[in-house]
Amino acid sequence: MTKKIKTRDRILTTSLALFNAIGEPNVTTLLISDELEISPGNLYYHFKSKGDIVNELFDQYDAEMRDLLSVPEDADITLDQISIFLHLLFEAVARYRFLYQDLVNVLSRYDSLQTRFRRILGKKRAAFQTICTSLSRQGFADFSRHELEALCEQLTLTICYWLSFDSLSHLDDREAVDPGRGVYQMLHLILPYLKDGEKDEVYLLSQDYL
């Protein structure tokens, strides 16, 4: 039993690495079994299709996102905590970057993931709204209602499409991922709405991600 669980985990780990490295559409179950040096039948014993592997990897991604995005609505969130949150968020996205680098194509091929991904987008937007509302409540920032809505939409859009944009500078190397550059951009989206003292603090925090 232990051996079967270990093999299943190896299949998931190897599949994720291949999906990230060369893109999910370019990976076949035969390639995965070759990479693992196991028979296609052994892989089929654990996963009936590549779609089953994608779905299980999405389960892992979904669990990580739900845990990370559970931001308490009444929390007084510090600026340092925001930078850490963004860093963890970009790291999670980078771990499952095959989803984001081929987002539209992946979701069009796996209908069952579409509703779940939209739900995650909603949780991201809600987490950003909670964070920005906390900044406003503590007197660290000023947002009008429309500014708050637009900023949260922009933050959600950036986290969703940053990897695709960033990969344009290194199309020959899908492994060259730098979550820090994304964190830097997100902090600078928030920066204009902060009070002077907090603006200086966030600017200094952002320099660590260059």
Side-chain angles (χ1 to χ4, degrees):
M1 183 66 177
T2 302
K3 183 177 180 181
K4 291 177 181 177
I5 294 173
K6 184 177 179 181
T7 300
R8 184 183 184 85
D9 289 342
R10 287 177 60 221
I11 292 170
L12 289 170
T13 301
T14 299
S15 298
L16 179 59
L18 287 171
F19 291 164
N20 285 339
I22 62 177
E24 178 271 334
N26 302 313
V27 178
T28 64
T29 53
L30 182 59
L31 177 59
I32 296 168
S33 59
D34 284 347
E35 187 75 14
L36 287 165
E37 297 182 347
I38 62 175
S39 68
N42 194 352
L43 187 148
Y44 183 75
Y45 175 82
H46 297 281
F47 297 98
K48 302 304 182 187
S49 68
K50 186 176 75 167
D52 289 343
I53 297 174
V54 171
N55 274 291
E56 185 139 343
L57 288 172
F58 194 92
D59 287 344
Q60 294 179 4
Y61 160 77
D62 191 16
E64 284 192 38
M65 282 289 129
R66 280 189 282 109
D67 183 58
L68 184 57
L69 296 171
S70 298
V71 182
E73 292 187 4
D74 59 348
D76 287 340
I77 302 167
T78 68
L79 297 171
D80 190 55
Q81 287 173 330
I82 292 172
S83 69
I84 294 171
F85 168 77
L86 292 174
H87 189 84
L88 292 173
L89 189 56
F90 270 100
E91 283 188 339
V93 168
R95 276 193 296 277
Y96 298 92
R97 58 188 173 275
F98 79 92
L99 290 170
Y100 290 87
Q101 289 171 333
D102 293 305
L103 180 59
V104 174
N105 289 331
V106 169
L107 294 182
S108 66
R109 284 196 302 279
Y110 300 102
D111 293 348
S112 62
L113 302 184
Q114 293 178 19
T115 299
R116 297 177 67 191
F117 195 87
R118 282 195 293 269
R119 189 178 300 123
I120 292 172
L121 280 183
K123 288 183 179 295
K124 288 177 183 175
R125 191 180 296 108
F128 291 134
Q129 185 151 8
T130 297
I131 288 169
C132 291
T133 300
S134 176
L135 291 177
S136 180
R137 185 176 63 247
Q138 295 175 83
F140 295 162
D142 281 324
F143 307 100
S144 69
R145 181 173 63 84
H146 295 298
E147 287 172 339
L148 179 61
E149 291 175 358
L151 175 60
C152 292
E153 193 76 8
Q154 183 63 51
L155 291 169
T156 305
L157 186 154
T158 302
I159 191 68
C160 190
Y161 288 104
W162 173 257
L163 275 176
S164 294
F165 172 78
D166 189 51
S167 65
L168 293 175
S169 63
H170 46 81
L171 289 173
D172 57 334
D173 184 8
R174 294 174 70 111
E175 297 295 303
V177 177
D178 181 9
R181 292 185 62 219
V183 177
Y184 177 88
Q185 294 298 326
M186 297 279 271
L187 289 173
H188 276 259
L189 287 174
I190 299 170
L191 194 71
Y193 300 97
L194 298 174
K195 302 291 182 63
D196 289 343
E198 285 71 31
K199 189 175 293 187
D200 291 341
E201 184 178 345
V202 166
Y203 178 79
L204 289 174
L205 284 169
S206 73
Q207 300 309 295
D208 292 337
Y209 294 99
L210 286 178

